[in-house]
Amino acid sequence: MKYISTRGGAAPQNFSDILLGGLAADGGLYLPETYPQVSAAELAEWRDLPYAGLALRILEKFIDDIPAATLQNLVERSYTADAFRHARPGCNANDITPLTTLEPGLHLLELSNGPTLAFKDMAMQLLGNLFEHVLAERGATINILGATSGDTGSAAEYAMRGKHGVRVFMLSPHGLMSAFQRAQMYSLQEPNIFNIAIEAMFDDCQDIVKAVSNDAAFKAKYKIGAVNSINWARVLAQIVYYFKGYFAATRSNDELVSFAVPSGNFGNICAGHIAHQMGLPIHRLVLATNENDVLDEFFRTGVYRPRGASDTWVTSSPSMDISKASNFERFVFDLVGRDPAVVRELWAKVDTGGSFDLNGTPYIARLADFRFVSGKSIHADRLATIRAVWQQHQLMIDTHTADALKVAREQREAGIPMIVLETAQPVKFAETIQEALGCDPLRPADFDGIEKLPQRVAVMKADVQAVKDFIVRHCT
Ligand SMILES: *Cc1c(COP(=O)(O)O)cnc(C)c1O
Protein backbone atom coordinates (compact mmCIF):
# COMPACT_ATOMS: atom_id res chain seq x y z
CA MET A 1 0.00 0.00 0.00
CA LYS A 2 1.44 3.34 -1.09
CA TYR A 3 0.32 6.80 -0.03
CA ILE A 4 -0.17 9.69 -2.45
CA SER A 5 -0.67 13.42 -1.97
CA THR A 6 -4.00 15.11 -2.65
CA ARG A 7 -2.05 17.64 -4.75
CA GLY A 8 -0.33 15.04 -6.91
CA GLY A 9 3.20 16.44 -6.55
CA ALA A 10 4.86 14.01 -4.13
CA ALA A 11 6.32 10.56 -4.83
CA PRO A 12 4.22 7.67 -3.44
CA GLN A 13 5.37 6.74 0.08
CA ASN A 14 5.16 3.82 2.48
CA PHE A 15 3.13 4.04 5.68
CA SER A 16 6.15 4.30 7.98
CA ASP A 17 7.59 7.12 5.89
CA ILE A 18 4.51 9.33 6.28
CA LEU A 19 3.83 8.37 9.90
CA LEU A 20 6.15 10.93 11.47
CA GLY A 21 5.54 13.76 9.00
CA GLY A 22 2.70 16.17 8.43
CA LEU A 23 1.93 17.72 5.07
CA ALA A 24 3.32 16.19 1.88
CA ALA A 25 6.15 18.19 0.27
CA ASP A 26 3.70 19.68 -2.27
CA GLY A 27 1.47 21.00 0.55
CA GLY A 28 -1.16 18.26 0.14
CA LEU A 29 -2.38 15.56 2.52
CA TYR A 30 -1.55 11.87 2.22
CA LEU A 31 -4.18 9.28 1.36
CA PRO A 32 -3.88 5.64 0.31
CA GLU A 33 -3.63 5.12 -3.47
CA THR A 34 -6.89 3.20 -3.31
CA TYR A 35 -9.26 2.32 -0.48
CA PRO A 36 -9.05 -1.37 0.41
CA GLN A 37 -12.41 -3.11 0.11
CA VAL A 38 -14.07 -5.24 2.77
CA SER A 39 -15.82 -8.34 1.43
CA ALA A 40 -19.12 -9.69 2.77
CA ALA A 41 -17.21 -12.69 4.15
CA GLU A 42 -14.78 -10.42 6.03
CA LEU A 43 -17.58 -8.29 7.39
CA ALA A 44 -19.29 -11.42 8.71
CA GLU A 45 -16.08 -12.68 10.29
CA TRP A 46 -15.28 -9.30 11.90
CA ARG A 47 -18.67 -8.91 13.61
CA ASP A 48 -17.67 -10.62 16.85
CA LEU A 49 -14.04 -9.58 17.10
CA PRO A 50 -12.86 -7.68 20.19
CA TYR A 51 -11.74 -4.09 19.54
CA ALA A 52 -7.99 -4.79 19.19
CA GLY A 53 -8.66 -7.76 16.89
CA LEU A 54 -10.89 -5.68 14.67
CA ALA A 55 -8.37 -2.83 14.65
CA LEU A 56 -5.65 -5.23 13.52
CA ARG A 57 -7.74 -6.57 10.61
CA ILE A 58 -8.47 -3.03 9.40
CA LEU A 59 -4.95 -1.64 9.92
CA GLU A 60 -3.41 -4.60 8.07
CA LYS A 61 -5.20 -3.47 4.95
CA PHE A 62 -3.42 -0.11 5.07
CA ILE A 63 -0.01 -0.96 6.58
CA ASP A 64 2.32 -3.39 4.80
CA ASP A 65 5.69 -2.23 6.08
CA ILE A 66 5.36 -3.28 9.73
CA PRO A 67 5.49 -7.06 10.32
CA ALA A 68 2.09 -8.56 11.23
CA ALA A 69 3.18 -9.84 14.65
CA THR A 70 4.68 -6.45 15.54
CA LEU A 71 1.56 -4.61 14.44
CA GLN A 72 -0.56 -6.99 16.49
CA ASN A 73 1.54 -6.29 19.56
CA LEU A 74 1.31 -2.50 19.07
CA VAL A 75 -2.46 -2.64 18.61
CA GLU A 76 -3.04 -4.90 21.61
CA ARG A 77 -0.97 -2.64 23.84
CA SER A 78 -2.92 0.43 22.63
CA TYR A 79 -6.50 -0.75 23.14
CA THR A 80 -6.58 -2.28 26.62
CA ALA A 81 -9.54 -2.31 28.99
CA ASP A 82 -7.24 -0.63 31.51
CA ALA A 83 -6.40 2.36 29.29
CA PHE A 84 -10.08 2.76 28.31
CA ARG A 85 -11.47 2.07 31.77
CA HIS A 86 -13.49 5.28 32.22
CA ALA A 87 -16.73 3.83 30.86
CA ARG A 88 -20.20 4.75 32.15
CA PRO A 89 -21.40 2.62 35.04
CA GLY A 90 -22.90 -0.55 33.56
CA CYS A 91 -20.82 -0.36 30.37
CA ASN A 92 -18.15 -2.94 29.66
CA ALA A 93 -14.66 -1.42 29.46
CA ASN A 94 -13.56 -4.45 27.43
CA ASP A 95 -15.65 -3.06 24.59
CA ILE A 96 -13.27 -0.03 24.45
CA THR A 97 -16.09 1.89 22.70
CA PRO A 98 -19.32 0.71 24.40
CA LEU A 99 -22.67 1.48 22.80
CA THR A 100 -25.37 3.03 25.00
CA THR A 101 -28.93 2.95 23.67
CA LEU A 102 -30.96 6.08 24.44
CA GLU A 103 -34.14 4.80 22.81
CA PRO A 104 -34.83 2.20 20.11
CA GLY A 105 -32.72 3.13 17.08
CA LEU A 106 -30.83 5.98 18.78
CA HIS A 107 -27.44 5.20 20.30
CA LEU A 108 -24.35 6.83 21.77
CA LEU A 109 -20.98 5.31 20.82
CA GLU A 110 -18.65 6.16 23.70
CA LEU A 111 -15.28 7.25 22.33
CA SER A 112 -14.21 9.13 25.45
CA ASN A 113 -13.28 6.39 27.91
CA GLY A 114 -9.52 6.72 27.38
CA PRO A 115 -6.86 8.33 29.60
CA THR A 116 -7.85 11.96 28.86
CA LEU A 117 -11.62 11.48 28.52
CA ALA A 118 -11.88 12.70 24.91
CA PHE A 119 -12.02 10.83 21.60
CA LYS A 120 -8.53 12.06 20.63
CA ASP A 121 -7.26 9.16 22.77
CA MET A 122 -8.69 6.65 20.27
CA ALA A 123 -6.00 7.61 17.75
CA MET A 124 -3.27 9.02 20.00
CA GLN A 125 -2.90 5.86 22.07
CA LEU A 126 -2.00 3.93 18.91
CA LEU A 127 0.12 6.77 17.55
CA GLY A 128 2.32 6.72 20.66
CA ASN A 129 3.12 3.05 20.16
CA LEU A 130 3.58 3.38 16.37
CA PHE A 131 5.95 6.33 16.83
CA GLU A 132 8.04 4.51 19.42
CA HIS A 133 8.30 1.45 17.16
CA VAL A 134 9.28 3.28 13.96
CA LEU A 135 11.77 5.55 15.79
CA ALA A 136 13.44 2.54 17.43
CA GLU A 137 13.70 0.76 14.04
CA ARG A 138 15.43 3.79 12.60
CA GLY A 139 17.51 4.68 15.62
CA ALA A 140 15.87 8.10 15.43
CA THR A 141 14.31 10.57 17.84
CA ILE A 142 11.61 13.22 17.47
CA ASN A 143 10.64 16.37 19.34
CA ILE A 144 6.93 16.89 18.95
CA LEU A 145 5.94 20.55 19.06
CA GLY A 146 2.26 21.42 19.33
CA ALA A 147 -0.26 23.96 20.51
CA THR A 148 -3.46 23.05 22.29
CA SER A 149 -6.58 24.67 23.64
CA GLY A 150 -7.35 21.49 25.58
CA ASP A 151 -8.12 18.02 24.24
CA THR A 152 -5.37 17.43 21.67
CA GLY A 153 -2.47 18.41 23.90
CA SER A 154 -3.46 16.21 26.79
CA ALA A 155 -4.22 13.23 24.52
CA ALA A 156 -0.80 13.60 22.87
CA GLU A 157 1.00 13.90 26.21
CA TYR A 158 -0.73 10.87 27.76
CA ALA A 159 0.04 8.84 24.63
CA MET A 160 3.71 9.86 24.44
CA ARG A 161 4.59 9.93 28.16
CA GLY A 162 7.59 7.73 28.83
CA LYS A 163 7.96 6.71 25.16
CA HIS A 164 11.56 6.19 24.01
CA GLY A 165 12.84 8.57 21.36
CA VAL A 166 9.99 11.05 21.82
CA ARG A 167 9.84 14.40 23.61
CA VAL A 168 6.70 16.53 23.64
CA PHE A 169 6.77 20.33 23.85
CA MET A 170 3.16 21.50 24.19
CA LEU A 171 2.17 25.16 24.17
CA SER A 172 -1.09 26.22 25.81
CA PRO A 173 -2.62 29.64 26.53
CA HIS A 174 -1.72 30.60 30.11
CA GLY A 175 -4.78 30.63 32.37
CA LEU A 176 -7.31 30.00 29.59
CA MET A 177 -7.95 26.27 29.91
CA SER A 178 -10.25 24.90 32.59
CA ALA A 179 -8.70 23.97 35.94
CA PHE A 180 -9.39 20.33 35.12
CA GLN A 181 -7.67 20.53 31.73
CA ARG A 182 -4.66 22.33 33.22
CA ALA A 183 -4.36 19.70 35.93
CA GLN A 184 -4.57 16.89 33.38
CA MET A 185 -1.62 18.23 31.40
CA TYR A 186 0.54 20.02 33.91
CA SER A 187 0.50 17.27 36.54
CA LEU A 188 2.38 14.86 34.26
CA GLN A 189 5.85 14.32 35.71
CA GLU A 190 7.49 12.23 32.96
CA PRO A 191 10.81 13.77 31.97
CA ASN A 192 9.96 13.61 28.22
CA ILE A 193 6.87 15.85 28.58
CA PHE A 194 7.27 19.65 28.61
CA ASN A 195 4.35 22.00 29.16
CA ILE A 196 4.82 25.61 28.13
CA ALA A 197 2.10 28.07 29.10
CA ILE A 198 2.21 31.13 26.84
CA GLU A 199 0.91 34.45 28.19
CA ALA A 200 -1.36 34.93 25.17
CA MET A 201 -4.23 33.31 23.26
CA PHE A 202 -4.41 29.89 21.58
CA ASP A 203 -3.88 31.43 18.13
CA ASP A 204 -0.62 33.00 19.34
CA CYS A 205 0.53 29.57 20.52
CA GLN A 206 -0.26 28.17 17.10
CA ASP A 207 1.63 31.02 15.40
CA ILE A 208 4.71 30.19 17.48
CA VAL A 209 4.50 26.54 16.42
CA LYS A 210 4.28 27.64 12.77
CA ALA A 211 7.19 30.05 13.12
CA VAL A 212 9.42 27.39 14.68
CA SER A 213 8.40 24.81 12.03
CA ASN A 214 9.05 27.31 9.23
CA ASP A 215 12.68 27.66 10.35
CA ALA A 216 13.89 24.73 8.23
CA ALA A 217 17.39 24.66 9.73
CA PHE A 218 16.10 24.61 13.32
CA LYS A 219 13.44 22.06 12.40
CA ALA A 220 16.01 19.69 10.91
CA LYS A 221 18.63 20.15 13.63
CA TYR A 222 16.17 19.60 16.48
CA LYS A 223 14.03 17.00 14.64
CA ILE A 224 10.81 18.91 15.18
CA GLY A 225 7.69 16.86 14.42
CA ALA A 226 3.94 17.15 14.91
CA VAL A 227 0.94 15.03 15.82
CA ASN A 228 -1.72 17.38 14.52
CA SER A 229 -5.06 16.46 13.07
CA ILE A 230 -3.80 15.98 9.49
CA ASN A 231 -1.62 13.03 10.53
CA TRP A 232 -2.79 10.09 8.39
CA ALA A 233 -2.36 7.49 11.13
CA ARG A 234 -4.81 9.41 13.31
CA VAL A 235 -7.48 9.25 10.62
CA LEU A 236 -6.69 5.57 10.03
CA ALA A 237 -7.06 4.63 13.70
CA GLN A 238 -10.47 6.30 13.77
CA ILE A 239 -11.89 4.11 10.95
CA VAL A 240 -12.01 1.18 13.37
CA TYR A 241 -14.78 2.44 15.66
CA TYR A 242 -17.16 3.04 12.76
CA PHE A 243 -17.03 -0.72 12.13
CA LYS A 244 -17.27 -1.48 15.86
CA GLY A 245 -20.27 0.84 16.24
CA TYR A 246 -21.96 -0.68 13.19
CA PHE A 247 -21.65 -4.20 14.60
CA ALA A 248 -22.88 -3.10 18.03
CA ALA A 249 -26.01 -1.42 16.66
CA THR A 250 -27.07 -4.11 14.14
CA ARG A 251 -27.82 -7.81 14.03
CA SER A 252 -26.92 -8.50 10.40
CA ASN A 253 -24.71 -7.00 7.72
CA ASP A 254 -27.74 -6.33 5.51
CA GLU A 255 -28.70 -3.42 7.76
CA LEU A 256 -27.77 0.21 7.21
CA VAL A 257 -26.89 2.71 9.96
CA SER A 258 -26.25 6.45 10.10
CA PHE A 259 -23.56 8.19 12.16
CA ALA A 260 -23.80 11.69 13.65
CA VAL A 261 -20.39 13.29 14.17
CA PRO A 262 -19.54 16.53 16.05
CA SER A 263 -17.04 18.09 13.68
CA GLY A 264 -14.25 20.66 13.68
CA ASN A 265 -11.19 19.69 11.65
CA PHE A 266 -13.12 17.00 9.75
CA GLY A 267 -10.78 14.26 11.02
CA ASN A 268 -13.37 12.13 12.78
CA ILE A 269 -15.98 12.18 10.01
CA CYS A 270 -13.26 11.74 7.35
CA ALA A 271 -12.62 8.33 8.93
CA GLY A 272 -16.36 7.60 8.58
CA HIS A 273 -16.21 8.57 4.91
CA ILE A 274 -13.33 6.14 4.38
CA ALA A 275 -15.16 3.34 6.24
CA HIS A 276 -18.07 3.92 3.85
CA GLN A 277 -15.74 3.84 0.84
CA MET A 278 -14.37 0.51 2.10
CA GLY A 279 -17.86 -0.96 1.99
CA LEU A 280 -19.31 -0.44 5.49
CA PRO A 281 -23.11 -0.20 5.03
CA ILE A 282 -23.55 3.46 6.03
CA HIS A 283 -26.80 5.23 5.17
CA ARG A 284 -25.87 8.79 6.14
CA LEU A 285 -22.90 10.61 7.61
CA VAL A 286 -24.49 13.41 9.61
CA LEU A 287 -22.04 16.26 10.16
CA ALA A 288 -22.79 18.55 13.12
CA THR A 289 -21.13 21.91 13.75
CA ASN A 290 -21.49 24.47 16.51
CA GLU A 291 -21.78 28.22 15.82
CA ASN A 292 -18.65 27.85 13.69
CA ASP A 293 -20.61 26.44 10.77
CA VAL A 294 -18.19 26.49 7.81
CA LEU A 295 -18.73 22.79 7.12
CA ASP A 296 -22.50 22.89 7.57
CA GLU A 297 -22.56 25.75 5.08
CA PHE A 298 -20.60 23.69 2.56
CA PHE A 299 -22.86 20.66 2.74
CA ARG A 300 -25.97 22.83 2.48
CA THR A 301 -24.82 25.20 -0.26
CA GLY A 302 -21.74 23.82 -2.06
CA VAL A 303 -19.71 26.87 -0.99
CA TYR A 304 -16.60 26.39 1.17
CA ARG A 305 -15.83 29.67 2.87
CA PRO A 306 -13.18 29.23 5.57
CA ARG A 307 -12.82 32.13 7.98
CA GLY A 308 -9.93 33.66 9.84
CA ALA A 309 -9.17 33.21 13.53
CA SER A 310 -10.72 36.60 14.32
CA ASP A 311 -14.04 35.42 12.81
CA THR A 312 -14.10 32.23 14.87
CA TRP A 313 -16.58 32.19 17.76
CA VAL A 314 -15.48 31.07 21.20
CA THR A 315 -18.21 28.59 22.16
CA SER A 316 -19.14 26.11 24.86
CA SER A 317 -18.07 23.24 22.55
CA PRO A 318 -14.54 24.63 22.18
CA SER A 319 -12.95 21.64 20.44
CA MET A 320 -15.10 22.47 17.41
CA ASP A 321 -14.19 26.18 17.32
CA ILE A 322 -12.52 25.77 13.96
CA SER A 323 -13.14 27.74 10.78
CA LYS A 324 -10.70 26.03 8.43
CA ALA A 325 -11.11 22.26 8.52
CA SER A 326 -7.64 20.83 8.05
CA ASN A 327 -8.77 17.36 6.86
CA PHE A 328 -11.44 18.60 4.47
CA GLU A 329 -9.03 18.46 1.52
CA ARG A 330 -9.00 14.67 1.83
CA PHE A 331 -12.74 14.45 1.24
CA VAL A 332 -12.69 16.99 -1.59
CA PHE A 333 -9.97 14.95 -3.34
CA ASP A 334 -12.43 12.02 -3.47
CA LEU A 335 -15.34 14.28 -4.37
CA VAL A 336 -13.54 15.61 -7.47
CA GLY A 337 -12.74 12.09 -8.65
CA ARG A 338 -9.22 12.14 -7.16
CA ASP A 339 -8.00 14.71 -9.68
CA PRO A 340 -5.08 16.55 -8.00
CA ALA A 341 -5.21 19.38 -10.56
CA VAL A 342 -8.70 20.29 -9.36
CA VAL A 343 -7.60 20.16 -5.69
CA ARG A 344 -4.63 22.41 -6.47
CA GLU A 345 -6.92 24.91 -8.15
CA LEU A 346 -9.42 24.93 -5.25
CA TRP A 347 -6.75 25.20 -2.55
CA ALA A 348 -4.92 27.96 -4.42
CA LYS A 349 -7.97 29.95 -3.33
CA VAL A 350 -8.24 28.55 0.21
CA ASP A 351 -4.52 28.99 0.94
CA THR A 352 -4.68 32.68 0.02
CA GLY A 353 -7.64 33.36 2.29
CA GLY A 354 -10.35 32.81 -0.33
CA SER A 355 -13.27 30.42 -0.78
CA PHE A 356 -14.64 28.14 -3.51
CA ASP A 357 -18.07 27.39 -4.92
CA LEU A 358 -18.84 24.00 -6.46
CA ASN A 359 -22.21 25.10 -7.86
CA GLY A 360 -22.20 24.72 -11.62
CA THR A 361 -19.54 21.98 -11.48
CA PRO A 362 -20.21 18.24 -11.98
CA TYR A 363 -19.05 17.61 -8.40
CA ILE A 364 -22.11 19.04 -6.74
CA ALA A 365 -24.26 16.15 -7.96
CA ARG A 366 -21.75 13.66 -6.55
CA LEU A 367 -22.18 15.02 -3.02
CA ALA A 368 -25.29 12.87 -2.68
CA ASP A 369 -23.30 9.69 -3.49
CA PHE A 370 -21.08 10.38 -0.51
CA ARG A 371 -24.09 10.31 1.84
CA PHE A 372 -23.30 13.49 3.79
CA VAL A 373 -25.95 15.67 5.40
CA SER A 374 -25.31 18.39 7.96
CA GLY A 375 -26.74 20.66 10.62
CA LYS A 376 -25.76 23.18 13.25
CA SER A 377 -26.25 23.52 17.00
CA ILE A 378 -25.82 26.65 19.10
CA HIS A 379 -25.32 27.28 22.83
CA ALA A 380 -29.06 27.24 23.65
CA ASP A 381 -29.48 23.94 21.73
CA ARG A 382 -26.59 22.47 23.66
CA LEU A 383 -28.11 23.39 27.04
CA ALA A 384 -31.54 22.07 26.00
CA THR A 385 -30.09 18.80 24.71
CA ILE A 386 -27.97 18.20 27.83
CA ARG A 387 -31.05 18.86 30.00
CA ALA A 388 -33.35 16.63 27.95
CA VAL A 389 -30.93 13.67 28.00
CA TRP A 390 -30.47 14.09 31.75
CA GLN A 391 -34.21 14.19 32.40
CA GLN A 392 -35.26 11.46 29.98
CA HIS A 393 -32.35 9.03 30.29
CA GLN A 394 -30.52 10.02 33.51
CA LEU A 395 -27.34 10.32 31.43
CA MET A 396 -24.96 13.25 31.42
CA ILE A 397 -23.43 14.15 28.06
CA ASP A 398 -20.82 16.74 27.17
CA THR A 399 -21.32 19.81 25.00
CA HIS A 400 -19.83 18.38 21.77
CA THR A 401 -21.89 15.21 21.98
CA ALA A 402 -24.93 17.42 22.59
CA ASP A 403 -24.29 19.25 19.31
CA ALA A 404 -24.21 15.94 17.45
CA LEU A 405 -27.31 14.60 19.18
CA LYS A 406 -29.27 17.75 18.37
CA VAL A 407 -28.48 17.42 14.66
CA ALA A 408 -28.95 13.63 14.76
CA ARG A 409 -32.53 14.08 15.96
CA GLU A 410 -33.22 16.42 13.03
CA GLN A 411 -31.79 13.95 10.52
CA ARG A 412 -33.19 10.67 11.82
CA GLU A 413 -35.01 8.47 9.30
CA ALA A 414 -37.49 5.72 10.11
CA GLY A 415 -35.99 2.25 10.26
CA ILE A 416 -32.33 3.37 10.18
CA PRO A 417 -30.42 3.23 13.47
CA MET A 418 -28.61 6.48 14.29
CA ILE A 419 -25.28 6.27 16.14
CA VAL A 420 -24.15 9.51 17.78
CA LEU A 421 -20.42 9.65 18.42
CA GLU A 422 -19.75 10.68 22.02
CA THR A 423 -16.47 12.59 21.87
CA ALA A 424 -15.80 13.79 25.42
CA GLN A 425 -16.92 13.38 29.01
CA PRO A 426 -18.85 16.19 30.71
CA VAL A 427 -16.26 16.70 33.47
CA LYS A 428 -14.05 18.48 30.92
CA PHE A 429 -16.68 21.18 30.40
CA ALA A 430 -17.98 21.69 33.93
CA GLU A 431 -19.06 25.30 33.50
CA THR A 432 -21.63 24.52 30.83
CA ILE A 433 -22.89 21.46 32.71
CA GLN A 434 -23.45 23.74 35.70
CA GLU A 435 -25.35 26.15 33.47
CA ALA A 436 -27.50 23.38 31.99
CA LEU A 437 -28.16 21.23 35.04
CA GLY A 438 -27.24 23.31 38.08
CA CYS A 439 -24.88 20.63 39.35
CA ASP A 440 -21.29 19.53 38.89
CA PRO A 441 -20.52 16.93 36.24
CA LEU A 442 -19.69 13.36 37.16
CA ARG A 443 -16.00 12.74 37.59
CA PRO A 444 -14.43 9.31 37.01
CA ALA A 445 -12.94 8.09 40.27
CA ASP A 446 -9.24 8.29 39.46
CA PHE A 447 -9.53 11.98 38.58
CA ASP A 448 -10.53 12.90 42.13
CA GLY A 449 -8.44 15.79 43.35
CA ILE A 450 -6.16 16.05 40.29
CA GLU A 451 -6.30 19.84 40.59
CA LYS A 452 -4.29 19.49 43.82
CA LEU A 453 -1.41 17.49 42.34
CA PRO A 454 1.91 19.30 41.85
CA GLN A 455 2.16 20.89 38.40
CA ARG A 456 5.12 21.15 36.06
CA VAL A 457 4.85 24.00 33.57
CA ALA A 458 7.07 26.79 32.23
CA VAL A 459 5.32 30.12 31.79
CA MET A 460 6.61 32.35 28.98
CA LYS A 461 5.82 35.42 26.93
CA ALA A 462 4.64 34.89 23.34
CA ASP A 463 8.19 34.93 22.02
CA VAL A 464 9.38 32.52 19.32
CA GLN A 465 13.04 32.79 20.37
CA ALA A 466 12.23 32.00 24.01
CA VAL A 467 10.42 28.81 22.93
CA LYS A 468 13.33 27.82 20.67
CA ASP A 469 15.79 28.42 23.51
CA PHE A 470 13.68 26.25 25.81
CA ILE A 471 13.67 23.41 23.27
CA VAL A 472 17.44 23.68 22.78
CA ARG A 473 18.03 23.59 26.55
CA HIS A 474 15.94 20.44 26.94
CA CYS A 475 17.23 18.53 23.92
CA THR A 476 20.64 17.60 25.21
C1 LIG B 1 -11.43 17.24 18.38
C2 LIG B 1 -12.82 17.14 18.88
C3 LIG B 1 -13.94 17.22 18.02
C4 LIG B 1 -13.81 17.50 16.54
O1 LIG B 1 -13.23 16.44 15.81
P1 LIG B 1 -12.59 16.71 14.37
O2 LIG B 1 -11.87 15.46 14.04
O3 LIG B 1 -11.64 17.88 14.54
O4 LIG B 1 -13.69 17.03 13.43
C5 LIG B 1 -15.20 17.04 18.58
N1 LIG B 1 -15.37 16.84 19.90
C6 LIG B 1 -14.32 16.77 20.76
C7 LIG B 1 -14.58 16.58 22.21
C8 LIG B 1 -13.01 16.91 20.29
O5 LIG B 1 -11.97 16.85 21.15
Side-chain angles (χ1 to χ4, degrees):
M1 172 67 76
K2 294 278 187 197
Y3 288 86
I4 55 171
S5 163
T6 50
R7 303 206 186 165
Q13 304 272 323
N14 288 318
F15 176 81
S16 296
D17 294 321
I18 64 165
L19 174 67
L20 304 172
L23 290 176
D26 63 357
L29 305 185
Y30 284 111
L31 273 176
E33 266 175 335
T34 56
Y35 293 126
Q37 296 300 300
V38 177
S39 68
E42 282 174 312
L43 210 54
E45 189 202 324
W46 291 2
R47 178 166 275 278
D48 298 317
L49 290 177
Y51 195 92
L54 179 64
L56 180 65
R57 300 304 302 276
I58 293 170
L59 294 175
E60 276 174 346
K61 288 184 172 282
F62 291 90
I63 302 174
D64 56 11
D65 59 347
I66 296 177
T70 307
L71 189 60
Q72 178 170 3
N73 180 272
L74 297 174
V75 168
E76 283 175 356
R77 282 198 283 131
S78 302
Y79 298 110
T80 64
D82 182 50
F84 289 86
R85 66 180 170 275
H86 307 295
R88 276 204 172 82
C91 282
N92 184 355
N94 284 316
D95 287 349
I96 309 297
T97 58
L99 191 82
T100 294
T101 299
L102 291 180
E103 59 196 54
L106 183 63
H107 313 276
L108 292 178
L109 185 65
E110 297 183 23
L111 306 179
S112 51
N113 297 337
T116 71
L117 311 181
F119 97 101
K120 303 289 191 295
D121 290 327
M122 295 305 307
M124 285 291 187
Q125 286 293 307
L126 179 67
L127 215 63
N129 287 320
L130 283 170
F131 268 45
E132 187 175 51
H133 166 74
V134 169
L135 289 167
E137 286 280 293
R138 299 180 173 192
T141 59
I142 192 170
N143 292 305
I144 293 168
L145 176 63
T148 188
S149 55
D151 296 338
T152 306
S154 55
E157 291 188 353
Y158 278 69
M160 302 294 170
R161 62 199 287 200
K163 292 277 185 280
H164 296 288
V166 185
R167 288 189 197 90
V168 179
F169 296 89
M170 191 59 64
L171 312 190
S172 53
H174 184 51
L176 294 185
M177 296 188 302
S178 70
F180 184 86
Q181 286 177 316
R182 283 200 301 272
Q184 267 189 313
M185 288 179 55
Y186 302 164
S187 67
L188 291 182
Q189 299 295 337
E190 278 76 9
N192 71 327
I193 303 295
F194 299 94
N195 285 300
I196 305 175
I198 302 289
E199 292 175 320
M201 307 292 286
F202 169 68
D203 286 323
D204 303 303
C205 298
Q206 208 156 29
D207 287 344
I208 295 172
V209 170
K210 276 189 205 141
V212 174
S213 303
N214 286 340
D215 180 344
F218 185 89
K219 188 177 175 194
K221 181 162 183 204
Y222 292 99
K223 304 185 176 63
I224 302 295
V227 286
N228 47 19
S229 142
I230 57 164
N231 182 290
W232 161 250
R234 284 183 59 184
V235 177
L236 173 57
Q238 293 169 181
I239 295 172
V240 178
Y241 52 73
Y242 284 87
F243 281 84
K244 194 80 172 86
Y246 174 79
F247 294 133
T250 59
R251 292 260 177 81
S252 104
N253 298 339
D254 300 327
E255 293 175 54
L256 287 166
V257 302
S258 295
F259 288 93
V261 188
S263 294
N265 268 321
F266 205 82
N268 195 351
I269 204 163
C270 188
H273 159 68
I274 295 172
H276 177 236
Q277 296 299 304
M278 292 171 72
L280 186 68
I282 291 178
H283 179 60
R284 297 238 183 269
L285 289 163
V286 179
L287 181 145
T289 69
N290 64 16
E291 288 85 340
N292 297 293
D293 59 354
V294 181
L295 291 168
D296 177 41
E297 181 177 79
F298 173 78
F299 285 102
R300 280 186 298 102
T301 67
V303 178
Y304 183 55
R305 197 166 56 85
R307 291 150 219 176
S310 58
D311 294 318
T312 303
W313 298 92
V314 175
T315 77
S316 48
S317 45
S319 301
M320 292 153 66
D321 290 348
I322 288 162
S323 295
K324 195 185 251 182
S326 56
N327 279 290
F328 189 51
E329 185 172 336
R330 288 193 158 107
F331 170 70
V332 172
F333 182 63
D334 288 341
L335 181 66
V336 302
R338 299 197 137 213
D339 183 343
V342 177
V343 174
R344 283 199 299 273
E345 196 186 311
L346 297 175
W347 258 266
K349 297 175 189 165
V350 171
D351 287 342
T352 51
S355 55
F356 62 74
D357 181 353
L358 296 186
N359 289 291
T361 71
Y363 313 122
I364 201 87
R366 304 193 57 200
L367 267 180
D369 300 341
F370 289 98
R371 316 303 299 164
F372 276 80
V373 291
S374 71
K376 163 180 176 175
S377 159
I378 64 171
H379 184 70
D381 298 320
R382 226 164 275 142
L383 297 180
T385 304
I386 291 169
R387 263 183 223 128
V389 172
W390 182 241
Q391 282 159 7
Q392 290 161 22
H393 308 287
Q394 292 74 53
L395 290 180
M396 210 182 267
I397 58 170
D398 96 292
T399 52
H400 307 75
T401 309
D403 286 332
L405 180 57
K406 186 261 183 183
V407 178
R409 286 195 183 280
E410 292 166 354
Q411 298 287 348
R412 268 181 92 180
E413 290 170 68
I416 312 273
M418 175 70 78
I419 302 174
V420 176
L421 301 191
E422 174 164 64
T423 54
Q425 297 209 10
V427 67
K428 298 194 92 168
F429 307 98
E431 218 173 282
T432 309
I433 297 298
Q434 262 290 353
E435 189 181 347
L437 304 178
C439 64
D440 280 329
L442 309 171
R443 173 180 288 235
D446 33 342
F447 290 89
D448 275 346
I450 60 163
E451 290 91 343
K452 297 201 184 71
L453 294 174
Q455 299 193 355
R456 209 171 131 253
V457 56
V459 181
M460 281 181 212
K461 296 254 179 298
D463 174 5
V464 175
Q465 192 56 46
V467 171
K468 281 181 174 171
D469 291 345
F470 183 91
I471 294 172
V472 170
R473 268 203 311 284
H474 293 94
C475 276
T476 44

